[in-house]
Amino acid sequence: MADNLLEIRDLAVEFGTDIGTTHALREVSFDVLRGKVTAIVGESGSGKSVTANCIMRLIQPPGRITGGKIHFSPNDAPAYDIAALPNKDPRLLDLRGGSVSMVFQEPMTALSPVYTVGNQVAEAILCHRNVSKEEAFEEAADMLRRVGIDNVDRRIQQYPFEFSGGMRQRVVIAMALVCHPQLLICDEPTTALDVTIQAEILTLIRDLQKDLKNSVLFITHDLGVVAQMADQVVVMYQGRVLEVGSVRQVLKTPVHPYTRGLLAAIPGLATKGARLATIASVVGDADLTTPHPLMTLADGRQVSLSSAQLADLELTDD
Amino acid sequence: MSEVANQATPAVVTDLGTETLQEISPRQLAWIRFKRHRLAMISAGFLIAMYLITVFCEFVSPYNTDTRNVKAINAPPMSIHFFDAEGNFHLRPFVYSYDMEINADSWMREYKENTEEMYPIYFFEAGESYHMWNLFEAETHLFATREGYIHVFGTDQLGRDMFTRVFYGARISMSIGVVGVMLTLFFGVLIGGIAGYMGGIVDRGIQRIIEVLLSLPTLPFWMALSAALPVEWSSLMVYFGITIILSLFGWPGLARQVRGKFLALREEDFVMAARLLGAGRLRVIFRHMMPSFTSHIITTATLAVPGMILGETALSFLGIGLRPPVVSWGVLMQQAQNYQVIVMTPWLMIPGLFVVLTVIAFNLLGDGLRDAADPYNTGGNRD
Amino acid sequence: MRAYVIKRVFGMIPTLILISGLIFIVIQLPPGDIVTSTLDRMQSQGLEVSTEAVANLRAQYNLDQPLLIQYVRWIGGFLVGDMGYSYLFTRPVSELVWERLGYTLMITVSSLIFTWAIAIPAGIYSAVRQYSFGDYLITTIMLVGLATPSFLLALMAMYAGYEFFGISIGGLFSPEYRDAPWSFGRLLDFLSHLWIPMVVLGLGGTASTMRILRANLLDELSKPYVVTARAKGVKPMKLLFKYPLRIAINPFISTIGLLMPALISGEAIVSIVLGLPTIGPALIQALIAQDMYLAGSFLMLLAVLTVLGMLLSDLLLAWADPRIRYE
């Protein structure tokens, strides 16, 4: 069994718009480690969510995958390339909600308002396993209990609009985990929630991950959350990967000027009273628009820099 | 890093944000989206052409509405020729005269082309004199024949030229649509705005009235109201009476939309922001709120015109709308009261064809406008 | 749910009162009244009418009373089924109304069903296969249907029925069954005549209904909960029916309420062209003859029908959408 659950190589996605083609992803390459939490950070429009949607093949026209590979090595089945699956391949239905599942940003709209919570959680089981409705509901109830919902016997028959935002996100997490996926993708799962609820949900995801030993791909723009959750970090900007490394490497000693910019833009106690740094002021006149190939450094991390910048880097390292 | 570099950085950021996309204003974007809607463009062209014709219909049509050609009663449309019966090409197009025979079985008139007698068509030619816009006498027509007659759409049972009558009818029917919609807009925006602005008991009262009016079947009430128009009214008064009746049931829908938009916009952050910046009430309404629903109103208005045109046509068809000697599409359709007309004199249905084309054009134009005006619409609502 | 039903049913009462007031005003609008038009008629026939007889006539129609009393009498009579007397048909209005109302209802309801039977599948297909050849074909047909005046459609249907199917034109019965008692043969005859008004009426409604469903469905298709369900691994067909369609159908249900006035409007004119024994043609006769009691009753009944249609659609909507039910 390979160490990497997913190996994404040179993934490219384009969206056709009214006024031209937008390259949402270009040459995106990184690995998702088995049993670990990988985080993707980046600002809005950096391609984080598009990457996640690619893994589940949820990209809809006018968007399309125009190149690259998503090499998936499940625990219990032969490896295959998700990006190359035909639209009608039965493996696609197994993949979605079976071996990979997803928690979305907006718990308020991620559930259909006209079906009960129980119905929607149990449906995930019924889609992937041949069990009776009663068994499915029972398992759904177990999972709902596990994500911290009280009074499950009553709550399971209620509609999503009778739940608060935080509770709804727990339901969505239960729905995602109920089939024991090997990879859980969390697409900014706490952005739409109150700060106190955010912490609860993050702890829940982390605890469940330790319990179930699944891999997590965690998408966020919040470096604090990255520090709390992740083992490995992928920094994205404008559809490209700029830096990949362990949490310690990326947060303590960032190499790429953009990553440094991101870190400098976090408000902290030390910066009290001072003007907050903008990314631009840290990045300076460094050119972020020209793509450079990802280079692996001596310590194992990968970074996308020009050869001149790489040369500079080695000098400062010495 | 030097002071100069620091000052230069904002420009870099802007460049990053718009790497591949050039910046365009909402208005430009709307125009781009509208242009992409080919059918809407064609419809806009058709409607502009139609309205131009209605403005100059005295000039465009070869005859006056009540000019009778006794040689051609219920005559079919003529075809315009460039080649004569011997196959010779004529640069000046021409029509053949009618050859009429009475069918011995049905006693119906039957017309054939008489290839012996041809009438060349002359453009910008003097013909029957007419009263242009009731202002001055003129006699130049877009096209006419010097001898004989020309009936491109045929004639009716009194021998009147259908081509002429269709476009004079367009003047009435198509203007009723526009005038009616303007009235609807006026009342809809005024009443909806009042309801949305005042709130409270005024709002509830208006809401109730709107609900009631919307739940009424329009046609029977149109019928009742137009039957109530006094018989001794002049054509002009009947015209306005019918227009008012048509818009009477049109404004509630619009008022409800305006009210809804008004209420929703009042809560929007950008309105709140404008207010916090110290913008006056009128400035908030006209500078910030109006632009976000004018496009919506224009679209709704465009889509409301066909209803008015169809309403007028239906009422006049039933004989309780406009009455002869006024010529409107509905009045013209009165001649087609039964199916025999379709069999015997199908060209009397030509006004119906124009009704259908105009209504389709308005619908397509409205769809195009709606797509173009909504910046968040990704084409989902396109019909 | 029960509270909602009660609230909604009782909410109809003020609406109906407002409508009846409006109708009363409308039927008072024409200059003159039954008595003056009767007088005109009699005088034109050279009959002398005494002032006493005129006063009697006025009293008979309550025309000597203040307007408010006239209104209360009219609406009060309406409630107990006494709708006055039609001098045009020289029969009590209620008799006239009931026999015609049945046919009106039958035609309206059957074209409502026809509308759905066509609009729902067409709307779904058109939304799911957006911009396909089929989508363009359906939307084009619908657009023409929407743009063609119903009387024109009726004329063309009559022509087609006569020319291609050899069906007698107009009416709801063949001559041999017109006054016959109900029998199986009469029913078949009725059904063979019913389809023309049904199709003609339904076509206009189909176009707008389909457009609404298509637009709703396209909106819903891009909603997050659809993506969630897709990410769950729900099969495409089931996904479509269980998620977006289930919600898109809600606003669609509420359009039943709007479809009713449209259908009843259309029914009036189609019946006039096709010569059907429904309310529409009688209404226009009554209006032209200024038989305002008759006209008022017809208008009131049509309005009640549409209000009931709206009530029905609201209740259906509440049953279909838990968000409304729980409010």
Side-chain angles (χ1 to χ4, degrees):
Chain A
M1 198 160 65
D3 285 344
N4 297 331
L5 185 66
L6 274 183
E7 287 175 7
I8 299 175
R9 293 293 173 267
D10 299 324
L11 190 61
V13 170
E14 289 176 6
F15 281 81
T17 68
D18 290 350
I19 47 174
T21 309
T22 307
H23 299 267
L25 294 187
R26 293 184 245 216
E27 294 166 13
V28 166
S29 302
F30 66 90
D31 300 330
V32 174
L33 310 177
R34 200 179 292 278
K36 297 269 172 61
V37 177
T38 304
I40 306 183
V41 275
E43 52 191 82
S44 309
S46 60
K48 301 169 298 200
S49 296
V50 175
T51 310
N53 284 329
C54 281
I55 297 172
M56 297 193 75
R57 285 288 297 275
L58 291 174
I59 299 286
Q60 294 264 64
R64 62 195 180 93
I65 299 178
T66 49
K69 279 188 189 142
I70 305 173
H71 195 75
F72 179 49
S73 323
N75 300 340
D76 43 8
Y80 57 91
D81 177 11
I82 295 174
L85 283 184
N87 278 334
K88 300 225 157 156
D89 197 300
R91 277 178 290 182
L92 217 50
L93 287 179
D94 279 347
L95 177 86
R96 293 182 186 144
S99 31
V100 181
S101 63
M102 192 147 159
V103 174
F104 294 89
Q105 183 172 347
E106 271 287 340
M108 301 314 254
T109 51
L111 294 166
S112 168
V114 293
Y115 298 105
T116 61
V117 161
N119 179 325
Q120 295 186 62
V121 176
E123 185 184 32
I125 305 172
L126 290 167
C127 280
H128 295 284
R129 279 187 289 144
N130 201 4
V131 294
S132 73
K133 244 187 171 154
E134 290 72 31
E135 285 172 288
F137 266 84
E138 220 150 272
E139 272 190 55
D142 284 344
M143 203 56 188
L144 285 170
R145 259 177 227 117
R146 218 159 154 184
V147 298
I149 287 175
D150 301 327
N151 254 331
V152 168
D153 294 336
R154 188 171 59 86
R155 296 291 255 169
I156 201 166
Q157 298 192 32
Q158 289 184 328
Y159 291 92
F161 57 85
E162 296 172 83
F163 284 66
S164 68
M167 280 298 149
R168 249 187 252 193
Q169 196 62 305
R170 286 173 195 266
V171 172
V172 175
I173 291 171
M175 200 163 83
L177 289 176
V178 79
C179 284
H180 305 288
Q182 295 165 44
L183 173 63
L184 176 69
I185 304 175
C186 300
D187 188 358
E188 307 210 24
T190 57
T191 309
L193 301 175
D194 293 345
V195 182
T196 45
I197 314 279
Q198 278 186 19
E200 286 176 22
I201 295 288
L202 290 177
T203 318
L204 177 71
I205 293 173
R206 186 82 228 199
D207 290 351
L208 285 168
Q209 191 269 333
K210 281 186 181 143
D211 262 19
L212 301 169
K213 311 244 180 314
N214 56 331
S215 312
V216 171
L217 181 61
F218 199 94
I219 293 166
T220 181
H221 57 259
D222 186 340
L223 286 165
V225 171
V226 173
Q228 185 189 341
M229 301 288 296
D231 301 303
Q232 188 196 223
V233 187
V234 179
V235 180
M236 285 187 74
Y237 178 73
Q238 291 215 342
R240 289 198 308 273
V241 173
L242 296 188
E243 189 163 1
V244 182
S246 70
V247 171
R248 177 170 290 273
Q249 287 169 335
V250 174
L251 297 189
K252 287 269 156 120
T253 55
V255 170
H256 200 284
Y258 176 75
T259 318
R260 279 189 225 148
L262 267 186
L263 283 164
I266 302 174
L269 290 174
T271 53
K272 193 175 178 186
R275 230 170 214 287
L276 204 54
T278 60
I279 289 174
S281 68
V282 176
V283 173
D285 47 6
D287 175 22
L288 292 178
T289 53
T290 320
H292 303 293
L294 271 178
M295 303 296 285
T296 309
L297 303 185
D299 55 0
R301 76 170 95 180
Q302 294 172 300
V303 67
S304 151
L305 283 176
S306 67
S307 38
Q309 284 170 313
L310 277 172
D312 273 358
L313 206 66
E314 266 144 40
L315 286 178
T316 46
D317 267 5
D318 287 341
Chain B
M1 206 185 287
S2 72
E3 196 62 35
V4 180
N6 249 336
Q7 280 172 356
T9 45
V12 177
V13 176
T14 328
D15 281 342
L16 293 177
T18 57
E19 186 196 6
T20 50
L21 308 172
Q22 74 271 32
E23 276 192 48
I24 46 179
S25 72
R27 207 173 292 248
Q28 282 172 304
L29 186 65
W31 176 236
I32 289 174
R33 298 177 75 108
F34 183 71
K35 269 200 304 196
R36 213 183 41 175
H37 222 294
R38 222 168 53 241
L39 284 172
M41 288 290 284
I42 296 171
S43 303
F46 172 78
L47 290 174
I48 290 170
M50 280 303 288
Y51 274 104
L52 275 177
I53 292 176
T54 63
V55 171
F56 299 104
C57 67
E58 289 97 337
F59 164 70
V60 173
S61 35
Y63 298 103
N64 288 336
T65 49
D66 43 10
T67 308
R68 297 182 54 186
N69 179 357
V70 287
K71 286 190 197 135
I73 304 282
N74 272 339
M78 290 174 161
S79 24
I80 294 167
H81 298 271
F82 284 96
F83 291 93
D84 62 26
E86 281 94 50
N88 301 321
F89 176 75
H90 296 253
L91 189 59
R92 183 172 290 289
F94 63 90
V95 292
Y96 284 120
S97 77
Y98 289 123
D99 214 1
M100 194 263 283
E101 256 175 46
I102 305 264
N103 185 314
D105 298 326
S106 63
W107 292 98
M108 294 289 293
R109 290 182 170 83
E110 285 180 356
Y111 290 89
K112 279 206 308 273
E113 279 185 335
N114 175 6
T115 50
E116 302 290 294
E117 203 174 354
M118 55 193 246
Y119 305 136
I121 301 168
Y122 293 88
F123 294 93
F124 300 100
E125 179 66 16
E128 271 188 349
S129 77
Y130 52 84
H131 224 72
M132 189 74 187
W133 299 332
N134 269 336
L135 290 179
F136 55 88
E137 293 282 331
E139 52 176 31
T140 308
H141 291 267
L142 178 63
F143 65 94
T145 54
R146 287 192 183 151
E147 46 186 329
Y149 38 80
I150 177 167
H151 301 299
V152 181
F153 290 169
T155 60
D156 65 7
Q157 67 267 45
L158 293 177
R160 295 175 296 197
D161 181 41
M162 280 305 283
F163 184 88
T164 302
R165 291 172 71 76
V166 163
F167 288 112
Y168 273 91
R171 171 178 280 180
I172 301 290
S173 294
M174 292 184 72
S175 69
I176 273 197
V178 172
V179 176
V181 162
M182 281 188 197
L183 278 176
T184 306
L185 271 184
F186 177 75
F187 287 115
V189 173
L190 186 74
I191 298 175
I194 289 174
Y197 193 78
M198 307 271 277
I201 187 141
V202 179
D203 182 29
R204 262 183 313 211
I206 291 177
Q207 279 266 80
R208 194 87 225 182
I209 294 170
I210 288 176
E211 253 169 56
V212 167
L213 287 178
L214 278 183
S215 69
L216 294 178
T218 41
L219 192 76
F221 278 82
W222 281 346
M223 281 161 47
L225 288 169
S226 25
L229 293 182
V231 195
E232 61 273 14
W233 273 18
S234 70
S235 312
L236 191 69
M237 283 167 80
V238 172
Y239 172 87
F240 282 110
I242 295 286
T243 315
I244 290 169
I245 289 172
L246 290 177
S247 47
L248 215 55
F249 290 90
W251 70 263
L254 192 75
R256 186 149 87 165
Q257 284 181 16
V258 169
R259 177 190 166 273
K261 275 268 174 204
F262 213 90
L263 289 181
L265 282 173
R266 225 167 47 176
E267 309 300 319
E268 287 279 346
D269 289 342
F270 71 88
V271 172
M272 177 61 85
R275 222 181 289 161
L276 290 177
L277 284 171
R281 179 173 281 170
L282 284 179
R283 186 177 166 79
V284 168
I285 292 180
F286 286 101
R287 186 84 187 94
H288 296 278
M289 291 171 76
M290 282 297 267
S292 30
F293 66 80
T294 39
S295 60
H296 184 78
I297 286 177
I298 292 171
T299 311
T300 314
T302 311
L303 290 171
V305 177
M308 300 274 166
I309 294 179
L310 288 175
E312 181 277 324
T313 319
L315 287 179
S316 305
F317 174 79
L318 292 176
I320 46 177
L322 298 168
R323 289 180 284 264
V326 175
V327 181
S328 79
W329 284 341
V331 172
L332 291 175
M333 291 302 294
Q334 261 188 286
Q335 298 172 325
Q337 284 281 5
N338 52 51
Y339 81 102
Q340 278 100 334
V341 172
I342 307 184
V343 187
M344 300 300 183
T345 50
W347 55 92
L348 292 185
M349 310 287 282
I350 290 176
L353 183 71
F354 274 87
V355 172
V356 174
L357 286 179
T358 307
V359 171
I360 289 180
F362 268 111
N363 275 314
L364 289 173
L365 177 66
D367 285 344
L369 287 175
R370 183 176 52 201
D371 277 2
D374 183 358
Y376 298 110
N377 186 350
T378 51
N381 270 336
R382 177 110 58 89
D383 299 71
Chain C
M1 182 74 183
R2 188 179 301 153
Y4 179 81
V5 174
I6 291 170
K7 197 179 101 189
R8 198 56 197 71
V9 169
F10 281 93
M12 274 171 55
I13 293 172
T15 309
L16 285 175
I17 292 175
L18 267 175
I19 289 178
S20 64
L22 204 69
I23 290 172
F24 189 74
I25 294 170
V26 168
I27 62 178
Q28 296 295 328
L29 274 182
D33 52 41
I34 299 182
V35 177
T36 48
S37 49
T38 315
L39 278 181
D40 285 349
R41 213 158 33 113
M42 290 166 90
Q43 272 158 358
S44 68
Q45 289 161 358
L47 294 169
E48 282 296 317
V49 188
S50 66
T51 41
E52 204 175 300
V54 172
N56 275 340
L57 259 177
R58 286 194 175 278
Q60 187 190 331
Y61 289 109
N62 295 318
L63 291 173
D64 48 352
Q65 308 276 343
L67 274 183
L68 192 66
I69 305 285
Q70 285 187 43
Y71 167 72
V72 172
R73 292 232 172 147
W74 175 64
I75 200 70
F78 207 92
L79 285 177
V80 295
D82 167 22
M83 303 179 192
Y85 188 82
S86 162
Y87 85 89
L88 179 67
F89 293 91
T90 57
R91 286 169 63 188
V93 171
S94 51
E95 271 180 35
L96 276 165
V97 160
W98 293 126
E99 68 178 40
R100 282 167 182 267
L101 187 66
Y103 292 125
T104 296
L105 259 180
M106 247 182 279
I107 292 173
T108 316
V109 170
S110 62
S111 46
L112 192 68
I113 294 168
F114 173 82
T115 300
W116 288 339
I118 303 290
I120 294 179
I124 294 173
Y125 179 86
S126 216
V128 175
R129 298 255 180 279
Q130 199 187 4
Y131 305 140
S132 68
F133 174 73
D135 176 26
Y136 284 120
L137 187 72
I138 292 173
T139 39
T140 308
I141 294 173
M142 292 299 157
L143 196 59
V144 175
L146 194 69
T148 312
S150 49
F151 62 85
L152 207 58
L153 271 180
L155 283 172
M156 293 194 289
M158 271 165 85
Y159 171 67
Y162 178 70
E163 202 67 16
F164 304 118
F165 302 100
I167 300 168
S168 69
I169 310 103
L172 279 177
F173 297 100
S174 310
E176 64 267 30
Y177 284 113
R178 188 155 297 148
D179 297 310
W182 278 103
S183 64
F184 187 65
R186 190 171 193 249
L187 183 71
L188 280 186
D189 183 62
F190 173 69
L191 290 178
S192 75
H193 281 81
L194 183 66
W195 74 270
I196 291 187
M198 181 184 86
V199 171
V200 167
L201 251 185
L203 218 56
T206 308
S208 53
T209 314
M210 193 217 94
R211 278 160 70 105
I212 292 168
L213 180 64
R214 179 175 183 273
N216 286 341
L217 195 52
L218 283 173
D219 273 357
E220 292 302 324
L221 278 170
S222 56
K223 290 274 173 74
Y225 70 86
V226 180
V227 185
T228 314
R230 225 150 77 83
K232 226 193 302 188
V234 183
K235 292 198 180 66
M237 267 320 237
K238 187 179 178 198
L239 178 78
L240 173 70
F241 279 88
K242 181 169 175 181
Y243 288 92
L245 188 62
R246 178 65 184 71
I247 304 232
I249 218 91
N250 284 349
F252 179 76
I253 291 173
S254 64
T255 61
I256 303 170
L258 293 174
L259 206 55
M260 276 303 275
L263 280 179
I264 285 179
S265 284
E267 193 273 331
I269 193 163
V270 169
S271 295
I272 290 164
V273 177
L274 295 179
L276 308 183
T278 61
I279 290 185
L283 172 64
I284 196 161
Q285 279 178 299
L287 285 171
I288 289 172
Q290 292 205 356
D291 189 348
M292 284 331 217
Y293 268 106
L294 188 57
S297 302
F298 282 150
L299 284 177
M300 190 66 204
L301 272 175
L302 294 182
V304 168
L305 270 188
T306 56
V307 170
L308 282 178
M310 288 205 156
L311 174 76
L312 200 70
S313 83
D314 278 4
L315 295 183
L316 265 175
L317 191 61
W319 169 75
D321 191 341
R323 284 170 299 182
I324 294 174
R325 195 158 68 218
Y326 280 73
E327 244 173 31

